[in-house]
Amino acid sequence: MFRRLILVIAAVCFILPSAAFASGFAINEQGAKALGMGGAFAAQADDPTAVYYNPAGITQLDGTQVSLGFSLIRPTASFEGTYMGSPVSSETEDKTFVIPNLYITTKINDRLSFGFGSFITFGLGMDWKDDWAGSSLVGGKNAEIATYTFNPVLAYKVTNDLSLAAGLVYQRMDVTINSTTPYLPPTIPFPSESLDLEGDSDAWGWNIAAHYKLGENWRFGVSYRPEMKHEVEGTSKTKSQLANFQDIAGDFKADITLPAVTYVAAAWSNGKWTFELDGQYTEWSSYDELNPEGLSGIGVKPKNWKDVWAIRFGGQYKLNETVDLRAGIIRDYSPIPDEWVDPMLPSGDRWLYTVGAGFHIGKNFDLDIAYNYLDDENRKFDNEAGNVVKGVDATRIRGEFKDIDAHIFAANLTYKF
């Protein structure tokens, strides 16, 4: 019965991402227990989702454990501004995006443990209404990036207190960017048509981690995932006659380097209470431009993002042998300078507020659930990314992205045998 359940849910996990993506770029929603504590989990690392957060922690897990889960993300955002002297406004479509995950761990012997994880580490999904003035900007209708990651790991208990881990990472990236061709007579007299870019890439990488116990109360964790370099190849398609005069259609290549991510964490437990503080350092400066080579009519889109920290704090109270209660808070700083904000990801500094619960069902099952509310700051929009006609500031859309928030729900079911 349970094997059949695993097959069904695993199939869903791999089918759903083809239709839905997260409203963000770096995705930390990789496990419901962690999510309930603000993503502060790299020091505890005591369930199968540790394969993502800190794989060295899987030496704490007995037997074989399988965890299947998902996060549902429902984002909203709006825009108000002006275009050539007239007011313009828009908002994102109402959508719920699904982020699945699957983890397996097994203890090979008293020292060595194996783990495997399948998850989406980076995902971008902004879906604006088709009829707004910014639809002809790059990604002005829809922008989707998803990285399907497969990560086997080995963890070794060096001493009773210190464990080390290393893993191999295979990553598949799919990129879809939808916009329209500009219609601006007499300069551009052709009717507006859809302009759709699609591409994909494969890349290999690795990850390492360490987990250390100090006495009965303290646990520490460090986890590192280096940057992943993707060489995306794809095609741009449009029916617009503008393609006869500008290089906006045809095959293209684009180098996209996803950032290195480091977690540094400390957790303290005493009786029924556990508290953890994590710092997550993401080296976004590697994401310096989006340049579809071969499409000079679209041109280079500078990013020039900066390296940033996210601070995560969470706690758990063990109510009884069956129920754990959790809460957390996150301060997530934006890597995007004002001069490079665009409709593809108009994110600012964020606060996230989290609650969750864990239920121990008999000896074999754990069910974890969590809810997050994301509150993003407004962002001013007045830079070259807003030029409807490339290089012509007079065609610039100016304004403010506002009312940016998201509701996030997560669940994981873990079976131990």
Side-chain angles (χ1 to χ4, degrees):
M1 176 66 181
F2 184 73
R3 290 181 179 177
R4 185 179 302 172
L5 178 63
I6 289 179
L7 291 174
V8 171
I9 300 178
V12 172
C13 284
F14 291 106
I15 293 171
L16 280 175
S18 65
F21 303 91
S23 174
F25 204 168
I27 298 176
N28 201 64
E29 292 80 11
Q30 305 295 352
K33 181 177 180 179
L35 198 66
M37 293 182 284
F41 193 64
Q44 295 172 73
D46 56 2
D47 77 3
T49 67
V51 171
Y52 171 79
Y53 292 99
N54 182 348
I58 68 173
T59 59
Q60 303 174 97
L61 307 181
D62 294 326
T64 297
Q65 302 189 22
V66 178
S67 184
L68 297 164
F70 61 87
S71 294
L72 304 177
I73 303 178
R74 189 173 181 84
T76 59
S78 64
F79 177 82
E80 291 185 0
T82 60
Y83 172 52
M84 301 187 73
S86 299
V88 295
S89 63
S90 185
E91 59 187 14
T92 53
E93 299 281 2
D94 292 331
K95 282 190 176 181
T96 299
F97 300 109
V98 182
I99 305 300
N101 59 71
L102 167 64
Y103 302 96
I104 302 170
T105 65
T106 188
K107 185 179 284 293
I108 298 172
N109 56 47
D110 289 342
R111 293 288 181 184
L112 188 65
S113 295
F114 171 80
F116 173 81
S118 174
F119 39 82
I120 299 177
T121 49
F122 294 89
L124 169 64
M126 293 299 294
D127 191 0
W128 294 93
K129 292 188 180 297
D130 292 348
D131 58 355
W132 83 297
S135 65
S136 58
L137 305 179
V138 174
K141 285 177 57 180
N142 182 45
E144 298 177 353
I145 296 175
T147 56
Y148 310 98
T149 303
F150 303 88
N151 185 194
V153 299
L154 282 174
Y156 184 74
K157 185 181 287 188
V158 181
T159 69
N160 289 335
D161 299 318
L162 175 65
S163 294
L164 303 176
L168 182 67
V169 177
Y170 168 74
Q171 196 171 81
R172 164 84 176 188
M173 174 186 283
D174 287 344
V175 179
T176 301
I177 299 176
N178 305 118
S179 54
T180 61
T181 57
Y183 173 62
L184 194 66
T187 307
I188 303 177
F190 311 111
S192 182
E193 298 281 358
S194 294
L195 178 61
D196 303 313
L197 283 77
E198 293 186 358
D200 55 58
S201 170
D202 300 280
W204 289 89
W206 51 272
N207 64 304
I208 55 174
H211 186 267
Y212 184 71
K213 296 180 180 179
L214 180 63
E216 296 296 324
N217 303 106
W218 287 96
R219 284 174 285 177
F220 300 90
V222 177
S223 179
Y224 178 71
R225 293 180 177 274
E227 64 183 31
M228 297 282 287
K229 296 183 178 181
H230 283 269
E231 298 179 357
V232 178
E233 296 185 0
T235 304
S236 174
K237 298 179 180 180
T238 184
K239 296 180 180 179
S240 174
Q241 297 180 54
L242 184 63
N244 297 323
F245 302 91
Q246 296 183 12
D247 292 327
I248 60 173
D251 295 336
F252 71 90
K253 295 182 179 180
D255 294 334
I256 298 178
T257 301
L258 298 177
V261 180
T262 304
Y263 289 92
V264 181
W268 177 82
S269 299
N270 189 13
K272 295 184 176 184
W273 291 96
T274 298
F275 297 98
E276 178 163 335
L277 177 66
D278 286 20
Q280 177 186 349
Y281 187 64
T282 307
E283 299 177 48
W284 279 113
S285 57
S286 64
Y287 184 55
D288 55 353
E289 67 177 20
L290 181 61
N291 179 17
E293 297 178 8
L295 302 177
S296 61
I298 295 175
V300 179
K301 300 301 175 186
K303 297 299 180 181
N304 296 324
W305 289 10
K306 58 186 179 181
D307 302 338
V308 292
W309 283 94
I311 307 301
R312 305 176 179 276
F313 179 75
Q316 173 179 274
Y317 177 72
K318 189 174 183 62
L319 185 64
N320 52 46
E321 293 299 317
T322 303
V323 180
D324 301 325
L325 302 178
R326 302 165 185 142
I329 189 170
I330 306 165
R331 183 57 168 166
D332 191 2
Y333 294 98
S334 174
I336 310 172
D338 290 341
E339 59 268 29
W340 305 115
V341 172
D342 62 37
M344 289 180 63
L345 188 60
S347 178
D349 295 340
R350 303 170 168 182
W351 285 101
L352 291 91
Y353 309 95
T354 79
V355 293
F359 303 94
H360 308 289
I361 307 168
K363 295 181 179 180
N364 300 108
F365 285 94
D366 289 336
L367 174 64
D368 297 294
I369 59 174
Y371 169 77
N372 282 17
Y373 175 69
L374 182 154
D375 184 19
D376 210 327
E377 72 176 358
N378 296 350
R379 296 302 303 266
K380 297 291 185 182
F381 183 47
D382 186 3
N383 61 56
E384 65 182 55
N387 290 352
V388 173
V389 178
K390 187 178 68 172
V392 182
D393 291 349
T395 65
R396 178 172 297 182
I397 297 174
R398 295 176 170 88
E400 184 177 34
F401 295 102
K402 55 196 302 185
D403 303 323
I404 306 170
D405 63 11
H407 299 278
I408 305 168
F409 174 79
N412 272 80
L413 178 65
T414 300
Y415 178 66
K416 306 173 185 179
F417 56 98

